[in-house]
Amino acid sequence: KNEVEQSPQNLTAQEGEFITINCSYSVGISALHWLQQHPGGGIVSLFMLSSGKKKHGRLIATINIQEKHSSLHITASHPRDSAVYICAVNVIQGAQKLVFGQGTRLTINP
Amino acid sequence: KAGVTQTPRYLIKTRGQQVTLSCSPISGHRSVSWYQQTPGQGLQFLFEYFSETQRNKGNFPGRFSGRQFSNSRSEMNVSTLELGDSALYLCASSLLDSPKTEAFFGQGTRLTVV
């Protein structure tokens, strides 16, 4: 079993829909990251969380440390949001060593 | 402020050869981490350097090595290339080696071994 599990693996939605991507982890962590990867490979860091909730524009990320679960929400989704979204965690003893989920491929149709 | 720069962006090598990839972190960042991304295994941690010292190493064979220079630039080297080494290699820089410091990723180097 992977230490970081994401669901769903693939998600297709219509423009304007509210999107939720989930991440569960089984190890102790010091921080959780949500990353976005577009075709071509470059990765952009969206959020780094250690507790609570963060919001950037239409993106919201939450984390529940007790339940070892995080969610990424996209409101009013747009075709340019189409990308792979990756959850990654800093394991407590690992400094900058990140452990990654398998990613969620999101496609937003116009 | 310039982002994380990886060179080259694309590389084709033959089995048995060796390759060196370069990563220039954001100015002032002292931690550089390397990751391998393949379709089968996803993203996996290779190693992390901080102030020229390797701080962590992932579960990769000794053919994978790296180093960091005094200006924080880092290189990773893969010797005796195998077909399975074909992957996107990403580096990330952060200000410190603290786990609560945000990591900034480069565009990656896509290595193809033929």
Side-chain angles (χ1 to χ4, degrees):
Chain A
K1 191 180 187 319
N2 292 335
E3 292 172 310
V4 182
E5 295 276 357
Q6 285 184 239
S7 63
Q9 289 194 19
N10 293 282
L11 179 56
T12 300
Q14 291 300 118
E15 184 173 355
E17 286 189 35
F18 181 82
I19 303 299
T20 296
I21 299 170
N22 295 300
C23 175
S24 296
Y25 52 92
S26 57
V27 293
I29 71 166
S30 52
L32 181 143
H33 304 251
W34 281 102
L35 311 170
Q36 180 192 56
Q37 187 173 34
H38 280 281
I43 288 180
V44 174
S45 175
L46 298 174
F47 295 102
M48 185 181 70
L49 295 159
S50 53
S51 64
K53 176 179 174 177
K54 287 190 176 179
K55 183 175 189 291
H56 286 154
R58 296 180 296 106
L59 301 178
I60 303 165
T62 63
I63 188 168
N64 185 318
I65 297 293
Q66 286 73 31
E67 294 187 4
K68 295 189 174 179
H69 181 269
S70 175
S71 293
L72 175 69
H73 305 285
I74 305 175
T75 62
S77 60
H78 190 276
R80 65 174 174 267
D81 297 325
S82 298
V84 175
Y85 291 84
I86 302 168
C87 171
V89 300
N90 288 100
V91 295
I92 285 180
Q93 62 271 45
Q96 279 297 339
K97 172 184 175 180
L98 291 175
V99 177
F100 299 86
Q102 72 274 41
T104 295
R105 184 173 299 278
L106 174 65
T107 303
I108 304 295
N109 293 319
Chain B
K1 206 176 202 182
V4 179
T5 303
Q6 290 189 246
T7 57
R9 290 291 311 278
Y10 303 92
L11 204 48
I12 300 176
K13 289 286 189 178
T14 304
R15 268 182 306 175
Q17 286 186 312
Q18 75 160 18
V19 67
T20 299
L21 312 181
S22 178
C23 173
S24 293
I26 291 172
S27 177
H29 284 195
R30 294 166 61 192
S31 172
V32 174
S33 303
W34 288 90
Y35 302 90
Q36 181 197 63
Q37 186 177 35
T38 59
Q41 298 295 320
L43 275 156
Q44 293 183 284
F45 171 78
L46 279 157
F47 25 66
E48 181 212 354
Y49 287 88
F50 180 79
S51 293
E52 302 178 66
T53 302
Q54 188 180 88
R55 301 296 291 264
N56 284 287
K57 191 176 193 308
N59 190 24
F60 279 82
R63 299 185 297 107
F64 291 80
S65 62
R67 57 178 176 168
Q68 187 180 33
F69 302 96
S70 58
N71 62 357
S72 293
R73 188 177 73 85
S74 177
E75 288 181 347
M76 69 162 274
N77 184 76
V78 189
S79 61
T80 321
L81 283 165
E82 300 176 359
L83 295 178
D85 297 332
S86 295
L88 179 67
Y89 290 88
L90 289 153
C91 82
S93 81
S94 54
L95 189 59
L96 303 170
D97 64 342
S98 163
K100 293 193 177 183
T101 307
E102 188 173 3
F104 295 83
F105 286 82
Q107 290 293 308
T109 294
R110 189 165 295 282
L111 171 66
T112 302
V113 182
V114 298

